[in-house]
Amino acid sequence: MSTKYISTRGGGTPLGFTDVMMTGLARDGGLFLPFNIPCVRDKLAVWKTLPYRELALEIMRLYTDIPEHDLKMLIDHSYSSFRHREVTPVVSPDGELYILELFHGPTLAFKDVALQLLGNIFEYVLARQSRKLNLLVATSGDTGGAAIHGIKGRKDMKIFVLYPNGGISPAQERQMTTVQDENVFCIAVNGSFDDCQGMVKEVLNDLDFRDRFMLGAVNSINWARLLAQVVYYFYAAFRVMEKRDVAQVRFSVPTGNFGDIFAGYIAAQMGLPISLLILASNENDILPRFFNTGIYERGSVRKTISPSMDIQVASNFERYLYYLVGRNPAVVRDLMCGFSGTGRLEIKMPASGQLDPLFAAGSCDTESALSVMRDLYRATGYLLDPHSAVGVHVARMFPDPHRPVICLATAHPAKFGETVQRATGSKKAGRHEILDKLASLPVRREVMPASVEAVQDFIARHS
Ligand SMILES: *Cc1c(COP(=O)(O)O)cnc(C)c1O
């Protein structure tokens, strides 16, 4: 029996996986979570021998109501679009540092791991239900491209992507706007990523509109995305535990919306021996401040060289909050309603001075990220993208000789050519042919003000 899902704010009746996936955001404004998280400690010995896709099947079948044979087909199909046999390999350029490479999918971003699967599951479910779906996405760069490549050309689906005009890298923008499929709409919003995300939330919370235009979400609030990401924590931990003959590992996760690291949190709850999750942010440090003081307080967004993490309000934070306050939906509702009014919420710090012993958190400024990129490149020839460099820098703030740290590499450096050049002095370093090919293609996009009405009107005319 697969688990049912409930809202972090306690509203509605529990739903199955397929419904949760098609719904995205719960109707009471909360986020879906599984009613219980299965403990898999007694399975680890077998799971560590499995190749990626088989491991994915074992993990996902615990959480989905899709028949196993179909789920297997969906997983196999999704990961056949990856360029690496292991899907998400672990490498060690200097023999010290472990890098979990998550960028071997079609858009060179870790988000492909989830969105290739999501596109396939959506298509599968829609075909069975004879339904159509319009997906609405806000992106700070990588989600949009990965979502478009998961959805483009599929039957019964359209995708509308909102991104901050001028707020993402040129390569990221081209990966979206050069897609010619008619079911893809790229909307450059004159505003910040938080504006885009706020607009998506508002449009989805307009329940009449959402029902009339059959809207769904693929932002990392979609549970299926988190589920797909849980898999690589297991896969990578097994590789490194075996190699180093240790019983526990740590992960360092470049964090924006708290989706990726929350998948690690789920893996830990399932019984994967993770001793520490290191949350790494850039100068937009609302989350490190929270973990270090108990105060979650919105500031203004600063543009950095790791734009996919230029986020103040982390959309998955509410999921973590639910567990932190002892699974009490009334408390979550109060805290989140308070936060949406005042931009601030506070959790009392325990006497230990540690909000949660499973987490450590720190931030990394531009100079530090550039020097991490430069030093590793000079020493080993290995190039990190600026997001992954943030994770490596913050990992080094928490040394532990007995528990190796696995740093998540969330994008291929070629997506951030300008920054790579700034760090290494080389124009050629880290280029990728997939991106080079996009330079000559025609561009399709709309420019729009940061207005919910304008977006609703556009969807109404094009859905
Ligand atoms: C989206 C993204 C992140 C942040 O992931 P979250 O799940 O939002 O925390 C980090 N790095 C890159 C390259 C990304 O695209």
Side-chain angles (χ1 to χ4, degrees), residues 110-111 142 254-260 308-309 387 410-411:
F110 93 91
K111 292 183 172 78
D142 283 344
T255 295
N257 264 318
F258 205 77
D260 204 1
S308 294
M309 291 151 56
H387 302 76
T410 49

Side-chain angles (χ1 to χ4, degrees), residues 154-333:
R154 291 188 190 272
K155 281 202 325 207
D156 306 327
M157 272 182 275
K158 288 184 178 160
I159 179 164
F160 299 84
V161 178
L162 275 55
Y163 65 95
N165 198 3
I168 66 177
S169 85
Q172 287 177 319
E173 186 167 20
R174 274 199 300 275
Q175 283 186 306
M176 301 197 286
T177 56
T178 58
V179 172
Q180 301 300 321
D181 300 73
E182 279 175 11
N183 68 336
V184 172
F185 301 92
C186 299
I187 303 173
V189 172
N190 290 323
S192 68
F193 170 68
D194 283 338
D195 291 331
C196 296
Q197 188 155 268
M199 287 157 74
V200 165
K201 263 204 161 185
E202 229 178 288
V203 173
L204 290 176
N205 279 332
D206 179 342
L207 299 183
D208 282 342
F209 189 85
R210 171 161 143 192
D211 291 343
R212 191 144 55 98
F213 293 101
M214 297 161 296
L215 292 183
V218 295
N219 276 68
S220 59
I221 53 176
N222 195 305
W223 167 258
R225 281 187 58 185
L226 299 180
L227 179 56
Q229 292 170 206
V230 170
V231 177
Y232 52 68
Y233 283 90
F234 280 87
Y235 187 79
F238 291 146
R239 300 291 81 73
V240 172
M241 289 194 297
E242 184 179 72
K243 188 156 190 155
R244 292 283 294 270
D245 195 21
V246 288
Q248 284 186 318
V249 290
R250 302 177 301 145
F251 283 93
S252 179
V253 188
T255 295
N257 264 318
F258 205 77
D260 204 1
I261 197 165
F262 187 75
Y265 180 75
I266 296 284
Q269 302 308 307
M270 290 171 74
L272 185 67
I274 298 175
S275 67
L276 192 67
L277 288 166
I278 299 171
L279 184 152
S281 83
N282 61 26
E283 285 102 329
N284 295 289
D285 62 349
I286 180 172
L287 288 164
R289 279 187 282 122
F290 173 71
F291 279 98
N292 295 321
T293 66
I295 297 168
Y296 186 67
E297 188 165 27
R298 181 176 13 211
S300 49
V301 183
R302 290 167 63 180
K303 277 196 190 184
T304 73
I305 56 169
S306 43
S308 294
M309 291 151 56
D310 289 349
I311 287 166
Q312 279 291 332
V313 182
S315 57
N316 274 289
F317 176 71
E318 180 168 341
R319 287 193 158 108
Y320 172 67
L321 197 60
Y322 174 83
Y323 292 107
L324 190 65
V325 302
R327 300 175 167 224
N328 187 331
V331 175
V332 174
R333 203 178 328 128

